[in-house]
Each structure stands twice: as C-alpha cells, then as structure tokens.
Amino acid sequence: AYPFRLKQCVDAPMMLFMKGADSCCLNAKKTISVVGTRSASDYGKAMTETIVKGLSHLDDLLVVSGLAYGIGVAAHKASLKYNIPTLGVLAHGIDRLYPSMHTQLSRQMQETGALLTECRGGTKPERENFPKRNRIISGISDATLVVEARQKGGALITADIANSYNRDVFAVPGRVGDENSEGCNQLIRRNQAALVQSASDVCYLMAWDDETDKKTLKPIEQKIDLNKEEAKKAQKNATKNITSEAMNNIIPYLNPI
C-alpha cells in the first residue's frame, strides 16, 4: 500500500517502485529516518548504532535512510545488526545501485526490508534527484534524526523538508567548532530540532515507550469464592449499610424547623 504518511505531503510522488521483502511494511506503526554527513566520524557512527540499538525493543519499527556513505550506511547496518527492518530510499532507478560498493548491504537489507524510489528504471543518480529523494525520506517518517551534519548538505535539506511537513526533527549535539557538528548545533540553536542524546530521549519525545507500556499492562482479575451462607450474609450487610447511609441523608430533612 502507498505510505499513508507520504500521502499527507503535498508534493508526494505519484508512483513508487519498491524491491525487497514482502513483509516490509511502509506503513509501520513507528518510522524514523536517520540522516547525516557522508564523512561521518567514528563518534557519529557509534552514536548512530547506539541510538538504533536503543530503539530495537520497539514493536513495528522501520528505520529509513538513503543508503549513502557515512551516517546513512551506519543506520542501515545497525538496523540489520539489531533485527530492525530498514528501508533505503534511492535517487535513481531500482535497476541499479549507487554507490555500487553498498550492493551487498542492499541485498541484506532486502531480506527483511526494502529499497524504494520514485525514479523509473534506467534513471541515473543525477544531482537533482537527491533533494527529491530526501523529501521521500522525511515524508515517509514520523521523525527525522540528524546525527552529524555540516552547515550545508543533504542532511539539513532533509531536516528542513521534515519541518515543512510538520514532522518531528531531532539532532545529536556535537563539539563546538567541529565541522561535522555545525549543522546539528545550528538546528538546535534555531529551534528547528529537539536535542537528543539517546534512544530514550527519542522514545520520550515521540511517546513511543508509553504505547509499549500500554501493551504490557493486563487487567487484574480478582475472584472471590463464597458459599451460599456467606453470600447471603454479605448481601444482607451490603443492603443494611446502603439503607443506613440513605436514611442518614434523608432524616435531617424530616425534622421540623
């Protein structure tokens, strides 16, 4: 079925092409996109894996990214590692893969997840296709998480589009003066993204753990076995208590003034 979240976007694509597992649901109950710089640091990759791992306990979760170098690939790999279906949104036709070095990763993703694009077969990864791809990443998700980003680049474009769709945007703060953190710090400084440092922050802001808790709660049933004599006595006492209480409320109004 066409992703209902994407359908809410005014510039949603008319047609989508998908390749992957039949079980991959584009309308998962919880969907988050993870984006960032292509030249990710070890810290950025580690943070990506830590956050994805922290989300792995959630039911019906889909992690989305663009199969790009850096944070994107880190998000897909972490999803596979912790058994979360992951969706790679492409900026070219479904009959090819860019970058080609991620071919093996894409095959692993398709076992439980999928690849998705609006481009017809034969379409090359032209520069103008990437911003279009980014709108699908943000539009198909409940929230967009930016882990590392420079002041200019695809990650900030995705975050801006997510804000325009009135979707939640989160950013992991970084060290002042670090080029890879300038974009995240800017989003937070301008109130364009909520500051998050862990998966628990994401769950709290999205109220996802509340939904999980509701599923685990079970009504408490209390059974009381009474024999006939005890049942009669209990009923008699209950009637007596109700009658006494009712009379106490009525009697004051019967007294003469």
Side-chain angles (χ1 to χ4, degrees), residues 2-67:
Y2 194 94
F4 74 86
R5 295 174 182 88
L6 195 56
K7 195 182 292 186
Q8 297 168 1
C9 305
V10 293
D11 57 350
M14 293 290 292
M15 190 181 303
L16 291 170
F17 301 91
M18 176 176 164
K19 181 168 69 171
D22 293 336
S23 59
C24 180
C25 181
L26 301 181
N27 291 313
K29 192 170 183 181
K30 304 173 186 72
T31 306
I32 186 168
S33 58
V34 183
V35 297
T37 179
R38 293 170 183 260
S39 55
S41 66
D42 291 339
Y43 165 76
K45 294 174 184 177
M47 278 299 300
T48 301
E49 180 174 344
T50 299
I51 292 176
V52 170
K53 178 183 178 181
L55 297 173
S56 62
H57 70 283
L58 297 171
D59 293 331
D60 200 14
L61 173 69
L62 180 68
V63 174
V64 182
S65 198
L67 250 177

Side-chain angles (χ1 to χ4, degrees), residues 24-250:
C24 180
C25 181
L26 301 181
N27 291 313
K29 192 170 183 181
K30 304 173 186 72
T31 306
I32 186 168
S33 58
V34 183
V35 297
T37 179
R38 293 170 183 260
S39 55
S41 66
D42 291 339
Y43 165 76
K45 294 174 184 177
M47 278 299 300
T48 301
E49 180 174 344
T50 299
I51 292 176
V52 170
K53 178 183 178 181
L55 297 173
S56 62
H57 70 283
L58 297 171
D59 293 331
D60 200 14
L61 173 69
L62 180 68
V63 174
V64 182
S65 198
L67 250 177
Y69 293 109
I71 298 300
V73 164
H76 292 307
K77 287 182 177 179
S79 299
L80 292 174
K81 184 175 180 178
Y82 298 106
N83 301 313
I84 305 171
T86 183
L87 179 71
V89 184
L90 309 177
H92 50 75
I94 203 82
D95 58 337
R96 63 185 66 205
L97 190 75
Y98 174 82
S100 58
M101 66 176 298
H102 296 155
T103 300
Q104 183 57 36
L105 175 62
S106 72
R107 288 173 182 160
Q108 294 173 349
M109 290 168 58
Q110 291 174 61
E111 292 177 9
T112 56
L115 304 180
L116 186 75
T117 183
E118 67 174 317
C119 302
R120 294 180 180 274
T123 304
K124 297 180 180 180
E126 303 290 352
R127 186 173 182 177
E128 63 270 14
N129 292 340
F130 288 90
K132 295 178 183 178
R133 182 273 306 271
N134 293 343
R135 88 186 194 285
I136 297 177
I137 292 175
S138 57
I140 207 169
S141 306
D142 294 310
T144 294
L145 170 65
V146 187
V147 178
E148 277 189 327
R150 300 185 177 187
Q151 278 194 329
K152 293 182 180 179
L156 259 63
I157 292 173
T158 307
D160 287 342
I161 296 172
N163 275 313
S164 73
Y165 291 157
N166 202 27
R167 304 291 169 83
D168 289 282
V169 179
F170 306 128
V172 176
R175 186 174 56 191
V176 174
D178 188 340
E179 188 178 13
N180 276 356
S181 299
E182 288 178 350
C184 290
N185 292 342
Q186 176 178 292
L187 288 170
I188 295 168
R189 186 172 64 250
R190 294 180 178 178
N191 291 323
Q192 294 174 330
L195 186 155
V196 296
Q197 300 178 90
S198 63
S200 59
D201 289 341
V202 174
C203 290
Y204 172 76
L205 292 167
M206 296 300 295
W208 282 347
D209 273 336
D210 291 346
E211 294 179 16
T212 304
D213 291 343
K214 286 177 184 177
K215 289 184 179 181
T216 60
L217 292 176
K218 294 182 179 180
I220 299 173
E221 295 182 3
Q222 186 176 5
K223 294 182 179 180
I224 302 175
D225 295 327
L226 298 174
N227 58 37
K228 290 184 179 180
E229 289 300 321
E230 289 174 332
K232 275 186 181 181
K233 188 176 180 181
Q235 186 176 8
K236 186 176 180 181
N237 289 336
T239 306
K240 183 178 179 181
N241 291 336
I242 293 171
T243 305
S244 299
E245 186 178 350
M247 289 304 294
N248 288 336
N249 291 333
I250 295 171

